[in-house]
Amino acid sequence: MDDTKPHADFMTPVDTALDRIAGLCKLITGVSMVVLTAIFGWLVFGRYVLNATPTWVEQAALLLVMVIAFLGAAVGVHEHTHLSVSALRSAVPDRLRKVFVIVTDLAMAGFGALMLIYGARLTVFKWDSQIPLIQLPEGLRSLPLTVGGGLILVFSLAHLVRLALGRDLRSDTIQ
Amino acid sequence: MGLLVLLGLFALCVVIGVPVAFALGISAIAAFAYEGLPLMIGFQRIISGINVFSLMAIPFFIFAGELMFHGGIAMRLVKFASAAVGAVRGGLGIVNVFSSMLFGGISGSAVADISALGSILVPVMKEKGYDADYAVNVTVTSSIAGIIIPPSHNMIIYAIAAGGGISISKLFLSGVVPGVLMCLCLAVAAYLVAVRRGYSAEKFPGLTALALSFVGAIPGLMTAVIIVGGVLSGVFTVTESGAFGAIYAFVVTLLVYRSLTLEKFRIAVVSAVRTTAMVMILIACAGAFAYMLTFYRVPNKTVDLLTGLTDNPIMILLLINLVLLVLGMIMDMAALILICTPIFLPVAASIGVDPYQFGMILLVNLGLGLCTPPVGSCLFVGCAVGKLPMEKAVRTIWPFYIAILVALMLITFVPAISLTLPSLIGS
Amino acid sequence: EWRGWNIHVEGYPNTVAMDKFAELLADKTGGEITLQMFHGGTLGSQPDAIEQVRLGGLEIGNFNLGPIGPIAAEANVVSLPFIFKDVPHMFRVLNGEAGAMIAEGMAAKGLVPLAWYDAGARSFYNGTKPINTPEDVAGMKVRVMNNDLYSGMIAQLGGNPSPMAFAEVYQALKTGVVDGAENNWPSYESTGHFEVAGYYSLSQHLIIPECVCINADVYNALSDDMKAAVKEAAMESAALQQQLWNEREATSREMVEKAGVVTNEIADKAPFQAAMAPVYEAYLAANPDLRPLVELIQATE
Ligand code: NA
Ligand code: NA
């Protein structure tokens, strides 16, 4: 992006806020990763040493993986770290590339919105039944997808705004 | 028509640069909508794609790898490895292949193998001057040894799908020689590519230096001892062993090497989460994509299309291989084993192929599918831990595909490779 | 066109019966309703498929009542250990008033059971010794399915209930991560678990039926004639399934015994049943509404 374009100041606090949200997600997912590892240590210790298997670990672990996957994926959208094929996009003329980037962001935002809406409906639908062995609502399983979807929506819209302001951060859109 | 929506939209998304995970998710959800299926089920499939206990090996081994890298274990392994095999061109590539062969002997899955070895060996290889694509290619392709060399979850699924009558212990034995054969082919490929790329061989540093580097690497090498010992003695399963790898790496770097600071720990956690999330979202969305492929009966229709084309047994076997390879490219293993076994096994049996040998043919084919774009969980993990775009890895992976195809052809047309060992031990 | 889910592979009694159901459905409705079956669980795990039928993504499913328990509390009573005396008793209960109560509970959650299938009785197996008394289970690590009733059952027998993903059980039995598990004859055989856990003790502690279920909205929208035809097709497939099931049980048992498995009857099951009192108490305390249903089942001859 060329630096001659005027920076839009209203975006600066928004960027800061989004970075903070991503930072919070990193904290939550990081803690989840550490807890996940620790409870597996406890699982093996309980089964092998105490001969009393903590029966809640498996189900709790699956929930933690959901948190890591979907909040982590949202952070990945914010930071552009997901695996994508950029060869084709970088081979087309600049104007077409800009169209590609806008459509990509729109598609991501739309998908995030659907994750948010249908994830929420799934969460409500399953709230009544319980996950066996941990006595928590089955709906918790789809909550990370719901929240992650909302964040993907927000982060993708922010990419679009930055693009419009000439402040996009993607390596292959700067030129 | 719906299938066209699914595949066309996926291709379009990938071309314009939508991350592959979301390209899979978007096209799958669009197909759900097109078919008038409740969209909630589409998102259920995305969640269920990773609501799988054995996938837990991915975060654990990735986390262990990051701790070893940032805590200095990996660096000491590099020193030892280059002292030991640096004098051979592509030495680390070959070591990588044989590590997979040995790890395949305890892990049931390719994904555990690639998560465990990839997280440690890919950074080590990059550090020693190997290109990232070479490191990723070797690690990805050799990881399927985890499926062929016993034990293997997927062999159990095959035995069940075959409808009974298949002994799992005999099936396990059938996999030993094909697995070793495949690794030998891959080691040859790793050597040839290394020579062709001109990776320089180092001078052998002498026995003293080798011994010293070995001592320094002992705590790192102990990780393998702990995992193997713990699994074989029944303390934990392979999935659980990953958590022990991470806990062990934490303890060693904190207390033995005293090289793990709070900041390094934080970096290791954040980077493990990033890699894990990248892989998990891919596998999750591939789950929804596979559901629609099953919905459209793509595997069944592909098979129908090809059966009856020929009576020639050799052509039939080649066609079966081809179909399995193509299906393996777009769908992950377990579902394909369940769909293809009942269809292909009778065909294979009718031309005299033993069910144990057929199991190996099926698993090598679908295993190769785990290493190919667009849907391949081993390729996903490999690119994520190698921090390498998928198209870069795929551009140079073909010598390794050829190695596996050579092994596959031998396994297909030489029954003795699969059947000799079980008949020797079984009787 | 309807779509149906079934977890079992080709050739399994349930798979054959569900294919028969599809055929009968077309016959009896004059081709107005056709059913395309997806076998082998290729459209998702059992809990997921239950959800898919409830949401209307699939019309038909062949489900075990175990995983329906967390959704419809009435269905969970069949997961109480030793609630049924034997398989014929289970069918008498299901075909009576208690069965109607369970069906009603399921229908309220969007699943209408059309017919009951047999899944036999589950018994303990392990790699070290025959089980004859609860003391034999004491200290043993036993793999259980995800249900508080099953883990409570092992705990009350003094064992160590260890939930574990099904795919990992074979290897876990082989290396000794767990000592034993429990299942019916056909599963014990087809999973190869008999190769690594050679003692099968006929505790028959769990007799959990299966059902052919239909999405409630789809069913309720049918005319009465159609409803009757659908129901009749399901019932006829159930008769076939029960016959095939009995044959398969016998074949599986013969096969594993020929392979050297040591089978033992448990002469006195009373101590096992007595040990379940706390499981029942805790269950009824948590689900006071279900006391009449449990008592009705126990009173059924
Ligand atoms: Na490898
Ligand atoms: Na293996």
Side-chain angles (χ1 to χ4, degrees), chain B residues 96-97 99-100 113 117 121 138-140 142-143:
Chain B
N96 186 327
V97 172
S99 311
S100 282
D113 183 294
L117 294 173
L121 285 175
V138 171
T139 317
V140 165
S142 60
S143 72

Side-chain angles (χ1 to χ4, degrees), chain B residues 11 28 40 55 59 83 93 108 110 129 132 158 214 238-239 290 300 323 340 346-347 351 382 404 406:
Chain B
M40 274 157 86
L55 289 181
Y158 169 71
F214 174 71
V238 173
T239 308
N300 310 56
V323 173
C340 291
V347 177
I351 54 168
I404 293 175
V406 168

Side-chain angles (χ1 to χ4, degrees), chain A residues 5 98 159-167:
Chain A
K5 283 189 181 170
K98 188 149 191 179
H159 291 331
L160 279 170
V161 175
R162 273 192 222 103
L163 192 68
L165 298 172
R167 292 172 58 187

Side-chain angles (χ1 to χ4, degrees), chain B residues 204-291:
Chain B
F204 182 64
L207 284 176
T208 322
L210 177 63
L212 277 176
S213 66
F214 174 71
V215 171
I218 285 177
L221 296 172
M222 281 296 289
T223 318
V225 176
I226 286 176
I227 289 177
V228 173
V231 169
L232 293 185
S233 60
V235 180
F236 39 61
T237 65
V238 173
T239 308
E240 293 162 356
S241 78
F244 270 77
I247 293 170
Y248 174 79
F250 174 74
V251 170
V252 167
T253 51
L254 188 72
L255 302 178
V256 180
Y257 291 154
R258 296 170 185 253
S259 51
L260 188 69
T261 59
L262 188 63
E263 180 58 13
K264 281 182 179 168
F265 181 71
R266 194 191 65 80
I267 293 171
V269 172
V270 167
S271 131
V273 165
R274 181 184 302 131
T275 311
T276 302
M278 267 165 77
V279 173
M280 288 302 211
I281 194 77
L282 270 160
I283 297 177
C285 291
F289 192 78
Y291 184 93

